[in-house]
Every structure is written in structure tokens, then in C-alpha cells.
Amino acid sequence: MRISQSNLKNGLGVAALSMAVSLTSGNASAGVTDADIVNDQANTSDIVHYGIGPQGQRFSPLNKLNTDNVQNLQPVWAFSLGGEKQRGQESQPLVRDGVMYVTGSYSRIWAIDVNTGEEIWEYEARLPDGIMPCCDVVNRGAALYDDLVIFGTLDAKLVALDAATGKPVWKKTLGDYKAGYSYTAAPLIAKGMVITGVSGGEFGIVGKVEARDAKTGELVWSRPTVEGHMGYLNGKENGITGGKANVTWPGDMWKHGGAATWLGGTYDPDVDLLFFGTGNPAPWNSWLRPGDNLYSASRVAIDPDTGKIAWHFQTTPHDGWDFDGVNEFISFDYQENGKTVKAGATADRNGFFYVLNRENGDFIRGFPFVNNITWAKGLDDEGRPLYVDDNRPGNPAGEKKGAQVFAIPSFLGGKNWMPMAYSQDTGLFYVPSNEWGMDIWNEPVSYKSGAAYLGAGFTIKPIFDDHIGSLKAVDPKSGKIVWEYKNPAPLWGGVLTTAGNLVFTGTPEGYLMGFDARTGEVVYKFNTGSGIVGSPITWEQNGEQFVSVVSGWGGAVPLWGGEVAKTVKNFNQGGMVWTFKLPARNVATR
Amino acid sequence: MRLGSIVVVVLLGWLSASLALGQPETGGIEDRNLDDIVASGFIEIAVYRDFPPYSFTNDAGEAQGIDIEVGTLIAEGLGVKPVWFWLTADEDLESDLRNAIWRGSVFDRTVADVMLRVPYDREYAYAIDGYGLPKHEHVVMFGPYHRESWSIARDLEKTGEVRNLAIFAYEKVGVEVASLPDMILSGAYGGRLRDNVTHYLKIEEALTGLRAGETAAVVGMRSQIEWGLRDVPNAFDIDTDGLEQLAVLEWDIGAAVKQNHRELSYAIGDLLSAAVMDGRMAAIFSKYQTTFTVPSTYDVPE
């Protein structure tokens, strides 16, 4: 009796689902192609890739919505990510043929009719019992390819769903969740392949970048990001990362060296390279692993055809502060002395902004983008930090208690995961940064899994009385901060900029904020009801410009106590996709 | 009144049905005091997952181990059935206490009634954080039932007569990655042993490596070393010689409950101390071929 009832319910569900699908996609939607992905930025009618194109500039050439009319931007619908699992919505939605695909925390994804905000389908990954993923429960977005929607889950699986029905087509394992691997990033699409990094805890994991056939999920190549580990191409050995083991690591520490690629990467079709950031090295006590510890805390450029590392640039060699330098590397061109410079930029956890030659990784320039950095005096001619030796956390091995140091920025970084944007109009990067430092010391008494342990204690502290968050407009040619918007709570959401002279980002206080891209003047503010830690998008349909952002407080900031928690303790959790548009009647001519 | 008792009967019936299936539904049953536990007929006990010889499942899927026996002893003493809350270890004890006892993990927000294998250390229990606030105010740690220690298992054919760590400038020594012995050995003598410190993800793998001749010694927790080498009792030399440099060589192990359930902590504490005093605790350890050491707070002959 129960069984037949549930069958009946399922039957009705399928019927309702197919009705919804046929209503929304009256014209058969064409599969997403490599050309669609490469043209994602230029084609303003949809958003088919994370970062608004694989270069990750987060720039839209749309200008219907602009500083003159942005006050008329209105919400048209909101969609709840429902259930009891509200925490931490760090996603960027995708839009294709009238359907929005948005991921939520706890490995969930929805297809939504963009005209009505009604659900078309939902997929919730079934996670194993007892899972303890290292890195929060967030998900940052999906990828589209052909007729598939591809996203990663907290148990380190990559799942491809039929875009029309939400039914699984293929599923692959990115790492063993029991060994500490997880996945939270948006997958990258390049040359018909879906390319992923991996998240992992501090202990025992090794970062890697992997390419799979996007249609079938079959592995094409795998490239570990720690020196000494073998790479593979089409099932065959393809060279050891860094040539051999033990060059920049002592003993066998390279075997468990960390360098997780947890934020995913970007791709520039112009120079045909993938760019991935790598996390901090393990163990955390830097005194035990003298050497640069390659390729931790680096940007690595990888040939998409061979899976070989073309170049690398290490932002924090021999990291001792947990400057988990996974930050996105964004390709951009600029003119200098009548020549085009093919550059790329990254704003690192360590507080420095780097401009590199993206063809060969050469350092062009670097400068601080947060105030009062303590751990380095600056960068040398090759971009290597000039360390302040007294500011390196002490060595606990053999001592009862190492000296306490106060380091700026804190280990949560001058900038954490949240992606910055680059405007082709203003030539500026819009960097969501945080001004905070940390006391760090060796804990004299600590335990782990029933065993005595030596851990590090830390206390994150604001640097200024009135703000931690700081959205900065950074000139990558001069290193100047052109404008700054100060926010009381730490910023944790991505940025969008448009040819309408606008910059959008969200705040933990819950506001979707719009700024004049040239001056930083606040030109728009809408309260979404919960903190924003997602990344906004904009697109055009039926002649109107739309904006969407996911609201839902969470991520790493509320996990840390004390003075920083004071600024966020009253923020309510949520889980809502907000979609806005500029109604056609409100489009003013500039 | 009548309606109320019907509801209670139905609820208890449902609980015993789920217990009978071996998969009790625990979601939503939160923050229970001693009376709630006794009335329900079960106690939910947090033990570490895949952690031999303390708590693990055998090939038949049955719960096994020292802490499983200790938990069963507690449940029997309270006149209830034990239900196991398998805890995946997080990065430190503070996180484990949060996940198991007072807040629940971010996944399901469920907690256990009591957690075992919690180090009993007043300095830790009353520690303050960097803002001057108590770090562990949400839990009460009590009931020491064992004293754990670091030990070293040596292959005497490789280490010879050398009883200190200097031998590992020449011979390989296995450790579990990121354990205290890992940190101390990697840092000792200005790093001169570092190249010979061989890292394994689990202590069991390190012991397999020792038996296979990959290393000359393994440093880890005594119970785990004894358990892992139980079938070759005389093949390796197990003691603490040379480990004086470890910041903490021995520590007591007890239990923890949420801070508002002190009555429960007293009841469990009494059961544990009785078992330590009357020899039942030592019997549990000998069943697993490991050495029982009386906690430092007891004044009884071993």
C-alpha cells in the first residue's frame, strides 16, 4: 500500500516536471558548446560559465542598466533554497535558454524558470554518513556543457545531470572523502573537458588538477600540484611534477604536502593555458619543512592538452602563516608604450596584488592591497616576499610555548575565496578585501583524536575601529587604490562589473550594493534579508537587463569567534536567489 | 491524561522498534538529562569511527573495541541500551566536542549524550581563548578511566643497543602524519632526524611498514602499538625510552557531557571509577591485549 502510494506520488511528480519543462523550453534548447563558453562574456543573453567566461573577469558589456537608472532596478522574483539547510550560499548562478541553474550548500542544485522563478527540478546529492568535509558545506557553482549540468559534491564526487530533467548522466570520484578530500568549487570547462581541482583538510592530502571529457566524465589527465608526484595523460605516466621529489621539501613530507586546488581555476583561450591557485603546505609548522615547498601557495599555468605545468609563480614560498594562496588568476590585456601586454592578476591571501605576464609567469609588478602588512617588507624584483623573520610564528617542537606574533593579514586573508572583477572600461580591478590581523602562538596543551598534540592558537582581530571589509578599486598599472568602500563586517561575496559603469557586490549585512565604477559612490542598495556570500551575475532577455545574486549567510567568517564574530553574530541565515531587472520603461538614455 | 499516556506508549513503541532494527532514529532527540535517558531506555555514546583498538566495527559490522566495552558498561550501569554515535574525527578535540556533544556537526546538528576518549586534563578543561574567555564552557569533562601514553616499538636488530632518538639519524622511524611524535621527531636535534621520519596516514600502516622492514621503529600511542603488534608479541621492543622530548608523554582519558548535565556526569563518573577500582576496566584492556594504566587521579595500586 505504501509502495503504491509513493509510486503514485512519483508519477505525479514526473508529470508535473515534464509539464514545467515543456512550458519553459518550448524551443528545444541547443547544447552548450566550447564556442559558447569562450564567448560567454560577449554574448550577453546568457551566462554559461562561472566567472562570466573562463577568464573570470566578471565583466559584462551590458550598459542598459547604468549609474543613471540603477535606482530603478527592481526585484522580480525570489526563490528559496529551502529546507533546514540554509547555511552558506556561495554560489554564482548560470543562465541558459530561459533556465537558471544554481547550486546551494550541502551539495544541492536547482533549475529555475527565469521568467517566473518557479522550480523546474532539484537534485540533492546523497552524502555518506559521518562525512566531515574539511572546508565548510558551501558550493560555488556549476558548469554547463552540451546538454549537461556538472557540479561537485562535498564527498568529492563530480556529477553530470541532464539539464532538462536533473537526472544523473555520469558520476566520477575526485578524491576519497574518507581520506579528507572534498569539493566546493565551480568546475571549469575548456576544450571539451571539465577541469577540476580538489579540496582537502590539512592532514595527508595532495592537491591536483584533473581534466575529464565533459560529455562522458572519462579522465584525460591528472596533474598533482606537489613536487615529486607522478602526473598521468590518457592512463600513461606523464612526468613527475617538478621533475623529482625532495628538491624543495625535506624527507618524505612531499608525500602529504597539501597545496590543495580548492578554488578551481580559470582558462585563457588566447594563450591557451589553465591557471590554478594552490593552497598552503602541510604540516602547518613551517619550521619542520625548510625549503620553498613547491608548488604550494602558487599559481600554476597548465597546458590543457598535455596536463603539464607551463610555468608557476609562488606568492608565499615556505608559508608559515596559512596564506592558503588559491586565489583566482584573471587574464587581462593592457597597453604600455604602444604595445599590448598579455597580463594576468591575482590578489593573494597574503595581502599582495600581483601582475604577471600570463604567457610565461614573469613578475611584472606587485603591491599591497591591504594596510599594515607585517610579515613581509615588500616584494623583490622577482616578486618574492622580503620576509620579516620576527613575524614568522614560532617553532613549537621542543619548546613548551613559542613566541606569540601578531601578523597582518590574518590567515583568512587580505582576500579569501571571493572573486574580484576586472572592468575593460575602467581598466580597474574591484577587489573584495578584508583588513584584519591575527595573534598566533603555539598551544601548550592540545589534543587530537584522543592524543596529546601541539596545535597553534590564533585570535583574529580587526585593524580599524569602523570596518573590516574593504571593496577596493585597484589600478593594476600603477598599484594605486583609486577608491575604497569600507564595510563594517568582513566581505565574503564575489564582485561583478559592467559597461554601465557599475560594480555590484553583496555584504554580510545582507545588502546587494551597486557602486559607480569610477568613483565608488554607492548608487544602489537592496536588503536581501540574509548575508550575501555569493557572486552576482547580469544578462539580457526580451530586451531587459537582469541581475541575480544568491543570499544566504555562512562561509568561514562565522566559524571564528571573538572580536570579528561581534560584527557578524546577529546576522541571520537564509537561502534565497534574488532576481532583479530594469523594466524596459525605466531605461534612460545616458 | 488518557491521550497523554497513549502518546507516550506510541512513542516508546516506535523507539524500541527502531532499536530492534539496529538503526535508532536519533534526529531531534537533543539535550537529554539523566531522567530522559533512563526513561527512553537508551544512551547515545559518541566514539571515534574506525579507531582500533578503541572503537571500530569488525567484518560482520559489529561494534568492537575498548571504548565500546566501556560504553556498554556505562549503559548497563544505567539500566539502558547503548546506541553508538560514530564520530568522524575533526581537526582537534575542541571541534570533536562541538560536533559530538554541544552543537552537532554542520550536517545534521544531532549530538550524543556522552562522548568517550576525551582527555582529562584540568589545564585543557579550564583553558581560556585569546580574548580571555573560557574555551570549553559548553562541556564538562570528567570520569578518567585510563592513562594513555606515547610509546616506541623498536626492531632491535636495526636499532641495536641505542635507547635514544639519535639512532634515527641513521635508521628510519615511522609516525602517523601530523601526530605529536611526527612534530617532535621532525624537529629534534635541529632537524637531523627529519629525512628519516617516514609518514603514514594511519598508525596501522606505520606498524605494517615496521613489520615489513621499511622502518626500524614506530612511535605512537601505546594501546594502538600493542594492538597492532598483538600477534607478534615478542618481535618488537615496546617502551618509552628516548621519548622524554615529547611535550606530553602521558595523559588521562575520560568522558564528556554537555555542561548542563552534571547529574549525568556524576552517574557515569561513579560507574567508571567503580570499574577502575574493581578490576573490570583492566579486564577490558586485557581482552584487547593492551596494557591498562590507572589514571593519575587514582590512588590505587596497579
Side-chain angles (χ1 to χ4, degrees):
Chain A
M1 186 60 198
R2 273 194 67 115
I3 289 168
S4 61
Q5 262 184 359
S6 82
N7 274 354
L8 183 64
K9 274 169 80 179
N10 284 345
L12 284 173
V14 170
L17 185 79
S18 46
M19 266 174 64
V21 170
S22 58
L23 284 173
T24 51
S25 51
N27 53 333
S29 68
V32 174
T33 64
D34 287 299
D36 291 337
I37 285 166
V38 169
N39 292 329
D40 194 25
Q41 187 176 72
N43 178 1
T44 56
S45 66
D46 53 28
I47 301 291
V48 296
H49 201 278
Y50 187 74
I52 313 184
Q55 291 176 318
Q57 288 187 346
R58 299 185 178 274
F59 171 73
S60 170
L62 285 171
N63 62 8
K64 277 206 168 101
L65 178 69
N66 54 56
T67 41
D68 294 334
N69 58 26
V70 67
Q71 72 279 5
N72 297 319
L73 186 66
Q74 308 179 347
V76 287
W77 53 260
F79 178 89
S80 172
L81 303 185
E84 291 164 4
K85 295 172 175 172
Q86 297 279 4
R87 134 181 203 86
Q89 310 300 345
E90 289 191 356
S91 184
Q92 179 215 296
L94 301 172
V95 175
R96 173 70 168 182
D97 293 333
V99 180
M100 176 181 289
Y101 302 93
V102 62
T103 61
S105 53
Y106 297 93
S107 303
R108 298 170 299 159
I109 182 168
W110 290 263
I112 304 167
D113 182 332
V114 288
N115 290 304
T116 62
E118 288 171 13
E119 178 173 313
I120 299 171
W121 52 257
E122 174 184 357
Y123 175 86
E124 178 167 1
R126 196 189 162 119
L127 297 171
D129 286 344
I131 185 174
M132 192 71 71
C134 58
C135 319
D136 207 353
V137 294
V138 301
N139 186 287
R140 302 195 169 95
L144 299 178
Y145 193 74
D146 197 32
D147 298 322
L148 301 173
V149 187
I150 305 168
F151 87 121
T153 62
L154 293 168
D155 56 342
K157 298 278 194 293
L158 193 63
V159 185
L161 306 171
D162 182 317
T165 65
K167 300 284 181 232
V169 176
W170 56 257
K171 188 172 182 182
K172 300 291 170 185
T173 298
L174 300 173
D176 180 359
Y177 73 88
K178 288 183 179 168
Y181 290 94
S182 182
Y183 192 83
T184 54
L188 168 69
I189 302 285
K191 301 177 119 175
M193 297 182 291
V194 55
I195 300 170
T196 50
V198 73
S199 305
E202 297 290 310
F203 308 119
I205 71 106
V206 170
K208 60 182 173 178
V209 180
E210 289 185 331
R212 287 176 168 77
D213 183 314
K215 290 188 184 177
T216 65
E218 290 310 311
L219 188 66
V220 179
W221 54 256
S222 177
R223 172 54 54 193
T225 50
V226 176
E227 177 188 284
H229 293 265
M230 180 61 75
Y232 291 89
L233 172 65
N234 297 319
K236 295 196 178 77
E237 289 191 350
N238 187 33
I240 291 172
T241 297
K244 61 175 182 170
N246 270 119
V247 182
T248 64
W249 294 84
D252 71 351
M253 285 189 184
W254 57 275
K255 284 186 184 167
H256 308 287
T261 46
W262 58 264
L263 193 52
T266 57
Y267 170 64
D268 177 35
D270 181 21
V271 301
D272 195 23
L273 287 173
L274 305 164
F275 305 106
F276 274 72
T278 59
N280 56 293
W284 63 266
N285 177 5
S286 66
W287 297 86
L288 300 183
R289 45 173 169 75
D292 280 358
N293 313 140
L294 290 171
Y295 295 95
S296 66
S298 300
R299 302 305 167 282
V300 292
I302 300 175
D303 181 330
D305 299 324
T306 66
K308 292 217 171 200
I309 294 177
W311 56 257
H312 77 276
F313 179 87
Q314 192 174 33
T315 50
T316 314
H318 193 220
D319 166 57
W321 301 262
D322 199 3
F323 291 148
D324 189 9
V326 291
N327 307 79
E328 74 283 6
F329 182 83
I330 299 178
S331 299
F332 73 110
D333 292 344
Y334 67 91
Q335 302 297 315
E336 197 165 68
N337 304 325
K339 285 202 296 198
T340 299
V341 179
K342 289 181 192 277
T346 192
D348 198 274
R349 283 278 273 270
N350 71 18
F352 288 95
F353 189 99
Y354 299 82
V355 180
L356 308 179
N357 178 324
R358 72 178 184 270
E359 292 179 295
N360 56 24
D362 283 355
F363 176 70
I364 296 174
R365 69 184 66 85
F367 46 85
F369 66 93
V370 293
N371 290 292
N372 305 349
I373 290 175
T374 58
W375 67 279
K377 291 188 284 286
L379 305 175
D380 71 12
D381 290 345
E382 306 208 306
R384 201 178 165 88
L386 302 164
Y387 293 106
V388 176
D389 291 334
D390 290 348
N391 205 238
R392 179 176 290 272
N395 179 12
E399 313 171 23
K400 265 292 186 191
K401 186 171 179 180
Q404 175 171 307
V405 299
F406 182 68
I408 301 173
S410 81
F411 71 92
L412 287 178
K415 176 172 153 321
N416 201 285
W417 80 277
M418 54 282 193
M420 60 185 182
Y422 171 74
S423 169
Q424 294 180 0
D425 271 9
T426 63
L428 301 175
F429 279 89
Y430 300 97
V431 184
S433 71
N434 289 310
E435 307 274 359
W436 48 19
M438 60 179 169
D439 282 326
I440 183 162
W441 66 92
N442 304 315
E443 285 279 21
V445 187
S446 175
Y447 294 93
K448 186 159 87 91
S449 298
Y453 185 62
L454 282 176
F458 57 82
T459 307
I460 295 185
K461 293 178 172 171
I463 297 167
F464 301 110
D465 290 339
D466 59 342
H467 73 289
I468 298 171
S470 162
L471 179 67
K472 296 187 177 84
V474 172
D475 184 340
K477 292 165 79 172
S478 67
K480 284 203 177 110
I481 308 296
V482 176
W483 57 259
E484 178 185 14
Y485 170 77
K486 295 172 181 174
N487 197 67
L491 291 178
W492 212 255
V495 183
L496 166 72
T497 181
T498 78
N501 193 35
L502 289 168
V503 173
F504 286 103
T505 197
T507 67
E509 289 87 345
Y511 289 98
L512 175 66
M513 307 281 298
F515 303 89
D516 182 308
R518 286 183 171 75
T519 66
E521 181 194 347
V522 176
V523 291
Y524 187 74
K525 204 173 170 182
F526 178 87
N527 190 336
T528 63
S530 179
I532 296 176
V533 291
S535 302
I537 58 168
T538 187
W539 75 98
E540 183 173 23
Q541 68 181 44
N542 306 325
E544 292 174 311
Q545 188 174 347
F546 284 66
V547 172
S548 251
V549 71
V550 186
S551 163
W553 176 233
V557 175
L559 300 176
W560 314 107
E563 290 179 56
V564 169
K566 271 193 273 178
T567 64
V568 302
K569 71 175 170 20
N570 294 325
F571 296 165
N572 291 322
Q573 295 196 341
M576 196 74 92
V577 184
W578 282 95
T579 293
F580 306 79
K581 75 173 180 182
L582 180 69
R585 63 179 183 278
N586 291 119
V587 179
T589 47
R590 297 182 77 181
Chain B
M1 186 60 197
R2 226 186 119 85
L3 190 63
S5 41
I6 290 170
V7 170
V8 169
V9 168
V10 169
L11 184 66
L12 284 175
W14 167 78
L15 278 172
S16 49
S18 9
L19 282 167
L21 289 170
Q23 296 218 310
E25 180 59 61
T26 52
I29 303 168
E30 298 282 317
D31 203 23
R32 308 188 320 155
N33 64 24
L34 180 58
D35 292 343
D36 297 331
I37 290 166
V38 171
S40 74
F42 73 93
I43 182 167
E44 195 164 8
I45 301 170
V47 290
Y48 286 109
R49 184 185 298 271
D50 302 330
F51 198 40
Y54 311 114
S55 42
F56 57 102
T57 47
N58 64 11
D59 292 341
E62 297 158 339
Q64 303 268 296
I66 292 165
D67 289 343
I68 297 298
E69 307 265 350
V70 172
T72 303
L73 183 153
I74 291 169
E76 283 171 359
L78 297 176
V80 297
K81 288 198 176 313
V83 170
W84 309 113
F85 180 108
W86 293 100
L87 177 66
T88 304
D90 207 330
E91 58 185 33
D92 57 20
L93 174 60
E94 187 175 357
S95 305
D96 293 337
L97 291 168
R98 184 181 65 235
N99 292 331
I101 293 297
W102 64 269
R103 199 172 73 186
S105 83
V106 287
F107 272 88
D108 55 18
R109 294 284 187 230
T110 60
V111 293
D113 297 312
V114 58
M115 176 176 162
L116 298 181
R117 200 135 294 274
V118 177
Y120 181 78
D121 175 340
R122 288 181 65 86
E123 201 183 338
Y124 182 85
Y126 295 102
I128 54 166
D129 67 15
Y131 309 99
L133 300 170
K135 280 181 83 166
H136 309 298
E137 60 182 341
H138 298 291
V139 297
V140 50
M141 291 173 255
F142 66 95
Y145 58 88
H146 170 45
R147 186 158 178 80
E148 186 57 88
S149 62
W150 296 116
S151 287
I152 179 165
R154 289 183 177 84
D155 180 341
L156 293 177
E157 286 189 16
K158 293 198 171 81
T159 61
E161 296 301 306
V162 184
R163 306 301 295 177
N164 64 27
L165 298 180
I167 184 72
F168 302 116
Y170 311 96
E171 294 285 346
K172 291 200 180 296
V173 55
V175 294
E176 185 170 300
V177 69
S179 64
L180 182 65
D182 175 11
M183 293 182 76
I184 299 303
L185 287 162
S186 296
Y189 304 115
R192 278 191 303 156
L193 315 183
R194 193 172 288 146
D195 286 351
N196 280 326
V197 177
T198 307
H199 293 87
Y200 297 89
L201 281 177
K202 295 267 188 186
I203 194 74
E204 295 95 312
E205 296 168 22
L207 293 167
T208 303
L210 176 68
R211 296 162 74 142
E214 290 170 19
T215 57
V218 164
V219 183
M221 283 194 281
R222 180 170 189 167
S223 314
Q224 292 198 302
I225 287 178
E226 289 177 340
W227 167 256
L229 300 175
R230 66 192 181 284
D231 57 330
V232 284
N234 300 312
F236 299 96
D237 177 65
I238 302 171
D239 61 20
T240 59
D241 287 357
L243 299 183
E244 298 76 13
Q245 292 191 40
L246 269 72
V248 182
L249 191 54
E250 297 185 295
W251 61 99
D252 290 344
I253 291 288
V257 298
K258 203 170 162 191
Q259 56 79 20
N260 54 337
H261 297 313
R262 286 185 190 262
E263 195 187 355
L264 177 62
S265 76
Y266 301 145
I268 295 174
D270 288 349
L271 292 166
L272 289 170
S273 64
V276 169
M277 300 294 282
D278 67 17
R280 280 177 293 153
M281 195 62 73
I284 290 173
F285 279 75
S286 64
K287 182 174 170 187
Y288 288 88
Q289 296 166 58
T290 53
T291 304
F292 173 66
T293 306
V294 173
S296 64
T297 48
Y298 285 74
D299 188 18
V300 290
E302 283 192 38

